[in-house]
Amino acid sequence: GSGREGRLSVSTESSREREESLEEHWPPLKTVQRSSEKLMRSYAADVSRLLDVCRFSVVLDHTWEVAELLEIIVNDPDVKVASAKNRLHPQYDATQSGGFRDVHL
């Protein structure tokens, strides 16, 4: 298999209550062509900066859920957050992302 068959698992009471409403997305791996383009265009061929080859998305309905999930992720001893981009911050200019707001880890 792809290794992506499992569901995201979090262990707080409120997350168990809304488990059925948790929406997960597993997009395909970034292609070699797209990875190469990004390396040359954005990272001066520094492969160590290419962090999003394998991606995963979680869609939540409320900002408090985002905060709760982020806390679980950053406190997990098996997870290392390499970088973060908070496009929910009030000072973020959402016109840069077509009005879309999210958090990237």
Side-chain angles (χ1 to χ4, degrees):
S2 66
R4 299 187 270 181
E5 292 84 5
R7 288 192 48 84
L8 177 67
S9 177
V10 293
S11 60
T12 65
E13 189 63 34
S14 59
S15 64
R16 280 192 294 271
E17 291 172 2
R18 69 176 182 280
E19 183 176 334
E20 291 181 10
S21 67
L22 184 67
E23 185 178 332
E24 305 168 22
H25 300 275
W26 288 97
L29 296 177
K30 184 173 284 185
T31 66
V32 172
Q33 178 179 343
R34 176 68 182 115
S35 295
S36 298
E37 290 169 358
K38 191 168 187 180
L39 279 170
M40 300 312 290
R41 180 180 48 84
S42 302
Y43 300 141
D46 182 355
V47 177
S48 69
R49 296 184 62 200
L50 187 64
L51 303 174
D52 61 344
V53 174
C54 179
R55 297 169 284 175
F56 175 77
S57 299
V58 177
V59 178
L60 302 166
D61 293 327
H62 305 282
T63 53
W64 65 265
E65 293 173 310
V66 175
E68 182 180 276
L69 185 56
L70 288 172
E71 184 175 340
I72 291 166
I73 292 168
V74 299
N75 289 317
D76 185 324
D78 295 324
V79 174
K80 178 184 177 206
V81 176
S83 67
K85 184 187 301 183
N86 182 2
R87 297 195 306 196
L88 293 175
H89 193 282
Q91 293 180 349
Y92 174 73
D93 179 6
T95 61
Q96 295 179 8
S97 58
F100 191 77
R101 292 186 172 268
D102 58 9
V103 177
H104 288 196
L105 299 179

